Amino acid sequence: GCELDKLSGLLPAGATYETSTMTCTKLSDIVKKFCTKLDTVLTTDERKAIIEHNADLPSFYGLPKLHKSATILEATRNNPNSEVINCCNPVDLKFRPIISCRLCPTTKLCEMLN
């Protein structure tokens, strides 16, 4: 719907990113190879914690900037005591792009290095 169109506009093809052929399996293999090079530094438990997890590709979504929409602000001013504001498809609603990498194969390695 409307939200999907606005989110798609945040990532015009080729303008802000390159399409990657990297898969979770390839990235997991790279992390495993890196960890084997650190055999003398990492304990077996640390290596397991970094390598063994259910990896998934990063996900992209948009967080709506409700506080910046004049349409939504006007609707809240018109109904100051209401718990629910009815404001269908505000045309000026913008989204903050979020890329979540919590299940990415490199997440635990980054946490360990941090």
Side-chain angles (χ1 to χ4, degrees), residues 12-84:
T16 55
Y17 67 94
E18 291 180 23
T19 303
S20 175
T21 59
M22 182 69 67
T23 64
C24 280
T25 305
K26 285 182 186 178
L27 191 53
S28 292
D29 289 345
I30 291 169
V31 171
K32 285 177 190 175
K33 285 179 186 175
F34 180 75
C35 286
T36 56
K37 291 180 180 181
L38 298 176
D39 270 347
T40 58
V41 179
L42 297 175
T43 67
T44 303
D45 289 340
E46 289 172 331
R47 202 169 27 261
K48 274 184 169 179
I50 294 170
I51 294 172
E52 295 176 6
H53 64 288
N54 295 327
D56 198 5
L57 290 173
S59 59
F60 170 76
Y61 63 95
L63 186 64
K65 295 181 180 182
L66 301 175
H67 63 289
K68 294 201 174 196
S69 168
T71 307
I72 293 174
L73 288 175
E74 184 63 29
T76 58
R77 284 190 199 107
N78 291 339
N79 302 296
N81 298 322
S82 178
E83 290 182 15
V84 178

